[in-house]
Amino acid sequence: PVSCTGGRADMSLDGLRRTFREHVFYTQGRFPSVATRNDLYMAFAYTVRDQLLHRWIKTVEQMAGKDLKIVSYLSAEFLLGPHLENNLINLGIYDDVLGIAKEEGFDIQVIFDQEEEPGLGNGGLGRLAACYLDSLASLEVPAIGYGIRYEFGIFDQEIRDGWQVERTDQWLRLGNPWELARPEITCRVSFGGRTEPYQDDRGRYRVRWIPHRTVKGVAYDTPILGYRVNTCNLLRLWKAEAIESFEFEAFNVGDYYGAVDEKIYSENITKVLYPNDEPVQGKQLRLEQQYFFVSCSLQDMLRIYKLGGGKLDRFSRHFAIQLNDTHPALGVAELMRLLVDEEGMDWEPAWDVTCKTFGYTNHTLLPEALEKWPVELFAGLFPRHMEIIYEINRRFLDEVRRRWPGDEARVARMSLIDESGGRFVRMAHLACVGSHAINGVAELHSRLLKEDVLRDFHEMTPEKFSNKTNGVTPRRFLVLANPGLTRLIEGKIGDTWIRRPEELRKLEPCADDPAFREEWRRVKLENKKNLARVIRERTGIEVDPASMFDIQVKRLHEYKRQHLNVLHIIALYDRIKRNPSYDLCPRTFIFGGKAAPGYFMAKLIIKLINSVGDTVNRDPDVNGRLKVVFFPDLNVKNAKFIYPAADLSEQISTAGKEASGTGNMKFSMNGALTIGTLDGANVEIREEVGAENFFLFGLTAEEVYSLKRDGYRPMEYFQANPELQRVVERIASGYFSNGDRELFKPLVDALMFHDTFMLFADFGSYADVQGRVDEAYRDREHWTRMSILNSARMGKFSSDRAIREYCEDIWKVKPVPILLE
Ligand code: 26W
């Protein structure tokens, strides 16, 4: 065993202080008196990283040579958020480091604030991947996360004149102390060209791919430490570089600029994260990104596996690969190519290995969000994979025909190739056929998958399907985000719930204790004051921490219905204008979230929120009863101010549209009550916390479908509801846009004539239930009781529970405890 006791592995207070000072001096090259804020942050980060590396070495050492199984989580996105604070919590040295900072004479919060977060994801899907990495390590399960090291992550959002403005995210500008570049761990990834048949030395028919161009993938490793354990897993992200091979040089003799072009072209692949939360159809670079990281990752796994002397036909006993949505689904064809073309396996055993290795998680029901690639584009980039997909499809459709003779409609529906107008490769079908397990991310979502989107696949192979309801890590979203509440809970029930959140149930009796309720309110008020301060700093708006904080933060999307929330705000405003003494419990409405840069309607909704805010916040008639705030640049770092400060969490998507939602869980854990539809995980949250502690409204998924089927006419709801008419009229008349009737016309027209997401159908019941929220908030004792019960009953939504289910049902992997000696 490698010995690294003493020195930088020393985690005593003295050891940490010495290591920190050494890093200021030897890593940053600074005297303490001239060290910048960033020098200090870097020195702390390296001090903590030393501890991680110590555990990482131990993890690798103790896993080597063991007959174990590794989870490989393939995801185009990992939305990790800042590392420093999280690692301090997981290591258990938060207070020590706070002490050192104090002694050395600076504010640790300022140091934390210096960290640029790796925003390598869009929203729910990427953040889920990060929570799952935390839980895998915390449960001591060997795992590798594989993804893309985007040079520019999700854009930074600014609000100018009420509109979203995007700025490039330069997260690597000051260096990234959490990653280790591995210039010696590289893979070659090829694109384009053609294929060619040949006979191998045993006379077997083979195919060789003669690609048009090849790039190099370089590994960048980030250690992922679990909570209070020694397991330190690996997040391996790939960066694209130009290969500087002999041929490359030879080809470019005398053509310096050509050579530089090639370099730029190659490095483009991992330049930027696509900022859409819906697929970008036909974007070649996006498809190249997907293949690039999938190919690097599979090559890497095969390399690791062969290093341990494994035989290829047993690969699936040692690696369980999870496809986070269809973004890495090309992996199915790529593993086949590697096994058959590169390793010389026969088709059948290779296919057997492939199917046993992959699992597929679906994250969306929106039909327009299912990825499909034009065959022409696909075949041009991946001629060999196209052949392999045709062969998979041929064999698969033969099976369909055997099961359902003569049912050619079914064959067309299930084919990996969509030929219903243009030809496309259906990535979800490829993922389903090439996996032994398929799951949705909430009970309702998994049911709808089986009944609708993947119905034919469920009929054919029901045993592949299961549900794995999402979860979030209580470490980041409770312990780190809400230290006040964490202390209060620890004072009552200790801290074992941080690993076993089911134990939060022990708090239930405290809901009946008036003194505890008082404390609970005090913590919430502190958190609200804290958010109020941040809002003042970032927007200049003053909000009253005594008012109800009603919050909706998530990506801007019509199906998430931020504009339904706005319609209700305008209704309240309208009531005040019609009756200046209208009795309204003071509320602060807080919104946050990014809109895809090309999503016009989502950007218009941001503008509407800000315009309504401008009007309402200034109107003296309102007299403090209403405030509307758009919190700019929602990211993981900012989210920590938001979830702990909420009284009410808005989860108001059209039923049947939100696969799960995870923000709903983060809010509820922090004691917010939810107003929501029966959509995604809301259904299960309501089951857990009890219907009496949840504000339910709106159509069910079934009602939404049948209404759509029978012909939904928004105008009927409009005509039946005078308040709704006045609300829409205020927007249409230019009341919030200085008389400009054109500005919000696209939004108004979309609602009046289409209302795809049925805001009008749900408006009445939403406004009614908001009235009940208003009443309930006046009874502070009862509200606090409900709030405590929400936190106490959120155990199910820990990502630890979710990961245990994946481990047992899909991956068949077991924990491997790591000793530090
Ligand atoms: C750029 C292409 C693209 C396409 C789709 C990027 C990202 C997506 C995802 C499917 C969108 C997404 O984040 N889905 C969300 O996944 C969460 C985690 O399971 C769920 O909680 C959300 O309901 C779901 O919308």
Side-chain angles (χ1 to χ4, degrees), residues 556-574:
L556 264 288
H557 225 293
E558 286 166 285
Y559 85 79
K560 294 175 187 284
R561 300 199 296 192
Q562 282 91 353
H563 47 339
L564 176 59
N565 191 341
V566 177
L567 294 183
H568 170 247
I569 296 171
I570 299 171
L572 294 180
Y573 177 68
D574 185 69

Side-chain angles (χ1 to χ4, degrees), residues 77 122-126 128 274 276-280 286 325 327 362-364 369 371 441 470 559-560 657-662:
E77 306 188 2
N122 273 287
L125 166 131
L128 186 77
Y274 277 92
N276 308 312
D277 44 9
E278 253 177 52
V280 262
R286 169 78 183 169
D325 216 279
H327 316 149
N362 173 290
H363 293 267
T364 181
E371 284 193 297
V441 292
N470 283 168
Y559 85 79
K560 294 175 187 284
K657 301 290 180 200
E658 188 70 274
S660 164
T662 45

Side-chain angles (χ1 to χ4, degrees), residues 193-251:
R194 61 191 171 83
T195 65
E196 186 178 88
Y198 71 100
Q199 283 198 332
D200 69 6
D201 38 20
R202 288 160 54 196
R204 295 181 306 173
Y205 167 79
R206 304 262 115 184
V207 177
R208 136 165 82 225
W209 176 17
I210 301 139
H212 170 65
R213 73 192 160 96
T214 300
V215 303
K216 183 170 75 175
V218 183
Y220 282 73
D221 290 350
T222 302
I224 305 288
L225 178 69
Y227 177 73
R228 309 283 159 97
V229 293
N230 299 316
T231 301
C232 191
N233 282 332
L234 172 61
L235 172 61
R236 178 161 283 176
L237 303 178
W238 300 100
K239 174 180 193 278
E241 288 184 3
I243 45 170
E244 282 157 88
S245 64
F246 173 74
E247 299 87 347
F248 180 70
E249 304 259 329
F251 261 111

Side-chain angles (χ1 to χ4, degrees), residues 438-458:
I438 303 166
N439 73 282
V441 292
E443 292 283 354
L444 174 69
H445 168 63
S446 294
R447 177 165 71 75
L448 295 175
L449 272 185
K450 294 196 272 189
E451 289 174 0
D452 189 29
V453 185
L454 299 177
R455 184 191 177 126
D456 293 318
F457 290 88
H458 179 248

Side-chain angles (χ1 to χ4, degrees), residues 10-17 20 44 47-48 51 88-89 91-104 108 112 228:
D10 184 351
M11 208 167 65
S12 71
L13 197 57
D14 285 340
L16 290 171
R17 188 187 301 111
F20 167 71
F44 269 117
T47 304
V48 170
Q51 294 298 325
L88 291 178
I89 287 170
L91 282 165
I93 57 170
Y94 197 99
D95 292 337
D96 290 346
V97 167
L98 241 63
I100 293 173
K102 215 181 213 142
E103 282 170 25
E104 308 274 322
I108 194 75
F112 290 154
R228 309 283 159 97

